[in-house]
Amino acid sequence: DATAAAEMFAGKAQIAVGDVRDAAQIEPAMRGVRFVVSAVGSNTRKDPTDNPQAVDFGGVRNLVAAARAANVEQFVLISAMGVTDPDHYLNKILDNVLLWKLKGENALRASGLGYTIVRPGGLTDEPGGRHGIRVMQGDSPEQGLIPRADVAIVCVQALGNPAAINRTLEILSDETQSPPAGTDFFAGLRPDPPAEP
């Protein structure tokens, strides 16, 4: 929605409109791009064809292919905590959304692109920067929430950060920690094992 995007960014960004489900619509938006942050997600309540298989997997796969063709330096993918749990309740109520998100993650891992995969807990619209951000690895079954603005802070810090390349991490708000200003979220994170062919 170009109108909504123009209102949101108020001239601070170039806007390209396209459907990630259609690979041909993505390529023009990738020209000259160094970094990609993908926050796509399915929403069958508005459009039944906007389903997890088509968007969280197919759309991500299309974005990854276009990024690779454009020699993008780094691809940051916002996924979700719980993707490795096939019995997660979100799979039961949202057309296996987490299973398809994991397939999208794996398409990125196998692409050869430098990448960072950020798996937030439940997203809120609260202002960011109020609490600390807890960083984990291994897709812990722990549950929690995090403001979208704090997820954005982590994604922006990943860009061009060698410590973030080929890492997957989970993030939650943590009221016991200081706000995230100046925090290096990627220090000491283990790199992902090599992707299977």
Side-chain angles (χ1 to χ4, degrees):
D1 185 332
T3 303
E7 291 172 3
M8 182 181 296
F9 294 107
K12 296 179 183 175
Q14 287 182 302
I15 296 166
V17 177
D19 186 336
V20 296
R21 298 171 296 181
D22 180 356
Q25 293 186 39
I26 300 170
E27 187 271 331
M30 290 286 179
R31 290 187 197 126
V33 170
R34 291 180 58 205
F35 303 108
V36 172
V37 178
S38 172
V40 300
S42 53
N43 186 352
T44 54
R45 288 174 295 210
K46 291 185 177 180
D47 177 356
T49 66
D50 190 12
N51 61 65
Q53 182 177 0
V55 176
D56 298 284
F57 172 52
V60 167
R61 184 179 55 190
N62 288 340
L63 285 168
V64 166
R68 186 172 179 188
N71 294 312
V72 164
E73 290 177 31
Q74 182 183 6
F75 193 113
V76 178
L77 175 64
I78 301 172
S79 184
M81 288 181 70
V83 293
T84 61
D85 178 5
D87 296 321
H88 197 286
Y89 76 95
L90 288 178
N91 286 325
K92 294 175 175 61
I93 64 171
L94 295 174
D95 299 324
N96 289 316
V97 65
L98 297 182
L99 295 177
W100 291 113
K101 282 185 180 292
L102 181 58
K103 287 180 181 285
E105 288 185 10
N106 288 336
L108 176 56
R109 288 189 187 97
S111 71
L113 287 169
Y115 69 84
T116 306
I117 298 171
V118 179
R119 296 169 171 168
L123 299 172
T124 73
D125 291 324
E126 295 176 9
R130 291 182 170 178
H131 304 297
I133 297 173
R134 184 159 16 121
V135 175
M136 300 162 284
Q137 286 187 289
D139 203 19
S140 163
E142 188 172 349
Q143 296 184 7
L145 302 173
I146 187 165
R148 286 176 171 84
D150 283 347
V151 176
I153 288 170
V154 174
C155 291
V156 169
Q157 191 187 97
L159 300 177
N161 183 343
I165 298 296
N166 299 344
R167 265 63 171 184
T168 299
L169 62 150
E170 294 80 46
I171 54 174
L172 293 172
S173 284
D174 187 343
E175 295 182 14
T176 68
Q177 294 185 27
S178 300
T183 303
D184 183 353
F185 301 106
F186 303 96
L189 291 185
R190 298 179 314 276
D192 291 350
E196 295 181 15

